Amino acid sequence: MVKQALEEIGRGTAEIIDIEAIEKLVTKYYDDGITYTVKAGFDPTAPDLHLGHTVLLQKLATFQKFGGRVQFLIGDFTAMIGDPTGKSATRKVLTKEDIIKNITSYTEQAFKILDESKTTIVYNNDWLEKLGADGMLQLASNLTVARMLERDDFSKRYASNTPIAVSEFMYPLLQGYDSVHLKSDIEIGGTDQKFNLLMGRQLQKAYGLKKQQAVLMMPILEGLDGVQKMSKSLGNYIGVTEEPKNIYGKVLSISDELMWRYYELLSEKSLAEIAQLKEDVASRTVHPKTAKENLALEITTRFYNEELATLAKEEFNSVFKAKKIPTEIPEFEMENGIWICQALLDAGLEPSTSQARRDIKQNAVSIDQKKISDDKLNLESGEYILQVGKKRFAKVKVN
RNA sequence: GGUGGGUUACUCAAGUGGCCAACGAGGGCGGAUUGUAAAUCCGCUGACUACGUCUUCGAAGGUUCGAAUCCUUCACCCACCA
């Protein structure tokens, strides 16, 4: 049992520090029924969770299966500083109101994956606010500047003359202090969090805790472009609250190479199954597109259900394979004689009439499935389906 | 506090008086091809019913027939010195 648990826990991880400690915790759970805590921190800056977050959440869910209690830490205090990780500029400071607003939808989405009964939501503002100036100083004395500059992100920024705010130095310390306060047994995070995660161990020792947290790091999920990490600001993400057809479509649009990465990090399939599938694709027994379709179905099903996922697939096929018009498209009413470019702008298909003109010239615009080339066209009364490119549709009623 | 350097479009980055709506690269968008994959090729990438007009090169003024380019002030950033 323990062995199987460890295998599942280890799946897809980038690195585990102190695996022995994890083994002990799991063993203790099976022998004596004693649970342990797994901490993961979340930044309440982006109210929308995407698949990149779910890699972590799925790992937490795995721990919940094997006796872990999740400490779902909302970094409402640390968010006011802004973690330097991954960004090459100091982050904007959020207001308290923003943070509170974000948290509600945040946790709601997280429980699509996590077991709520085995999750404790904690806010680090609760204890960090009370730390006070002397507490801060005591905390800061645990770390030298040289050590801080070892952190990859800092050293790069320092070398390239990108500014580093002194407050940013506090971030890893505060995150580490969270682990002291919560007496976490395990902390998980992305590989980009390594420095911060290790800080937790160091501080737990410095503050005299008997045990130090084990650390488990998950790889960073690449976004749709396959290069940069999935993030909302880069626009290369699949959000968990997106409509089924969008989730399905976006998964299908990833590259074949990236598909395997997604299989490994997001699918419930066993690693053996995935290896087999990969082999079948390589030997052309299975078409890569079929493999991708199944992945898309699985992921869509996770956030909705099988029925809706299947519908999404059918819709997708009818629109893109059979080149039919989507079943649901936005509708607009317009005045008689409206200029086509204006209509495209009003329907939100184009950002400007200039862009509309360019697209018409480039054969990207069609009315009722027929390409048009006249950018001076005016629409007579009637109903039209306007389309730009492959993906943008609108129904327009001209009165 | 002192000295020097910097701020150009989504990003990086050229341009140091007219040839500048502003080179180039990346990204994005579109077309061909396809499996809405990758790769490849081609085109577009400030706005405006548009062979012309308008607004843009950190901000505000100024010099000039003419400014992203020169001058003044301000804001922000960086380095070195203290």
Side-chain angles (χ1 to χ4, degrees):
Chain A
M1 275 305 264
V2 173
K3 202 180 160 196
Q4 193 207 327
L6 284 177
E7 214 166 90
E8 264 195 64
I9 286 167
R11 173 183 174 167
T13 52
E15 192 180 348
I16 298 178
I17 290 165
D18 206 353
I19 181 115
E20 295 79 15
I22 296 179
E23 191 174 347
K24 271 186 205 157
L25 291 168
V26 175
T27 308
K28 217 169 176 190
Y29 170 69
Y30 279 109
D31 292 352
D32 312 325
I34 296 173
T35 61
Y36 51 92
T37 54
V38 186
K39 170 195 166 201
F42 296 89
D43 211 22
T45 42
D48 290 315
L49 291 183
H50 55 63
L51 292 187
H53 299 109
T54 69
V55 172
L56 219 59
L57 292 175
Q58 281 175 255
K59 187 56 67 186
L60 287 173
T62 307
F63 273 112
Q64 289 180 326
K65 268 165 66 184
F66 305 115
R69 277 206 63 86
V70 168
Q71 298 172 320
F72 192 96
L73 181 129
I74 308 248
D76 54 350
F77 187 90
T78 33
M80 291 190 272
I81 301 174
D83 178 23
T85 303
K87 302 233 177 185
S88 293
T90 312
R91 188 180 283 170
K92 261 186 224 155
V93 174
L94 284 178
T95 67
K96 276 201 162 156
E97 290 74 41
D98 286 335
I99 292 170
I100 291 166
K101 206 168 65 183
N102 289 344
I103 289 170
T104 318
S105 75
Y106 209 83
T107 49
E108 201 174 288
Q109 295 168 52
F111 289 132
K112 286 189 178 192
I113 293 175
L114 290 182
D115 182 343
E116 191 166 357
S117 69
K118 294 178 181 170
T119 304
T120 313
I121 298 176
V122 289
Y123 303 87
N124 66 4
N125 190 48
D126 287 352
W127 55 87
L128 290 181
E129 199 177 37
K130 291 176 195 143
L131 203 55
D134 52 339
M136 285 279 199
L137 285 176
Q138 196 200 336
L139 185 58
S141 66
N142 283 295
L143 199 71
T144 62
V145 171
R147 174 102 175 79
M148 194 56 91
L149 281 172
E150 278 173 27
R151 187 176 145 152
D152 189 50
D153 184 77
F154 284 141
S155 62
K156 272 188 194 145
R157 281 165 61 183
Y158 191 69
S160 69
N161 293 339
T162 314
I164 302 170
V166 172
S167 61
E168 291 184 76
F169 274 174
M170 289 309 290
Y171 193 98
L173 284 166
L174 293 171
Q175 182 173 337
Y177 185 76
D178 290 341
S179 291
V180 173
H181 179 88
L182 293 168
K183 300 184 176 66
S184 308
D185 294 314
I186 302 172
E187 175 161 13
I188 82 175
T191 49
D192 56 346
Q193 289 283 315
K194 187 169 183 175
F195 187 93
N196 297 359
L197 297 171
L198 289 172
M199 191 55 60
R201 280 170 72 83
Q202 189 178 331
L203 289 179
Q204 283 180 326
K205 196 175 182 182
Y207 280 82
L209 266 68
K210 281 190 202 118
K211 285 187 303 174
Q212 293 164 53
Q213 65 183 13
V215 166
L216 186 149
M217 280 164 276
M218 295 304 291
I220 301 299
L221 186 73
E222 291 85 353
L224 299 173
D225 53 39
V227 181
Q228 291 189 276
K229 77 170 193 175
M230 184 175 284
S231 86
K232 198 180 178 189
S233 54
L234 292 172
N236 60 356
Y237 68 106
I238 303 178
V240 307
T241 54
E242 289 193 64
E243 286 182 54
K245 62 176 181 183
N246 284 341
I247 295 180
Y248 184 88
K250 281 187 179 179
V251 174
L252 223 59
S253 78
I254 64 174
S255 74
D256 289 3
E257 205 185 328
L258 189 60
M259 164 172 77
W260 298 116
R261 188 93 176 123
Y262 278 32
Y263 255 117
E264 190 192 344
L265 293 177
L266 297 169
S267 172
E268 299 276 336
K269 280 190 200 297
S270 74
L271 291 178
E273 278 177 279
I274 293 171
Q276 180 62 45
L277 184 63
K278 202 169 177 178
E279 217 170 275
D280 288 344
V281 168
S283 68
R284 300 203 177 172
T285 319
V286 174
H287 194 288
K289 199 188 174 193
T290 313
K292 210 182 284 175
E293 280 172 341
N294 290 339
L295 178 66
L297 270 179
E298 183 185 336
I299 291 175
T300 313
T301 304
R302 178 169 311 140
F303 299 114
Y304 292 93
N305 55 51
E306 213 174 322
E307 199 185 334
L308 286 170
T310 312
L311 271 177
K313 181 182 174 176
E314 281 166 12
E315 166 89 1
F316 181 89
N317 285 342
S318 99
V319 173
F320 293 107
K321 262 193 191 158
K323 305 243 178 207
K324 287 197 180 134
I325 291 158
T327 48
E328 277 179 48
I329 54 177
E331 290 185 35
F332 299 89
E333 291 198 17
M334 295 184 187
E335 304 219 337
N336 191 9
I338 187 165
W339 179 37
I340 178 67
C341 293
Q342 189 62 46
L344 290 167
L345 177 66
D346 291 351
L349 299 182
E350 293 283 16
S352 68
T353 57
S354 298
Q355 182 63 40
R357 279 167 183 261
R358 287 194 282 271
D359 279 338
I360 289 171
K361 266 186 209 138
Q362 300 200 90
N363 264 329
V365 178
S366 50
I367 297 176
D368 294 334
Q369 311 262 62
K370 267 184 230 138
K371 300 267 183 199
I372 62 165
S373 55
D374 179 11
D375 64 6
K376 295 216 164 75
L377 190 71
N378 295 309
L379 295 177
E380 306 289 312
S381 65
E383 257 191 53
Y384 306 96
I385 303 284
L386 304 183
Q387 182 182 357
V388 180
K390 286 172 191 157
K391 299 175 206 173
R392 285 169 277 165
F393 294 89
K395 186 186 274 184
V396 170
K397 270 187 203 168
V398 178
N399 298 314

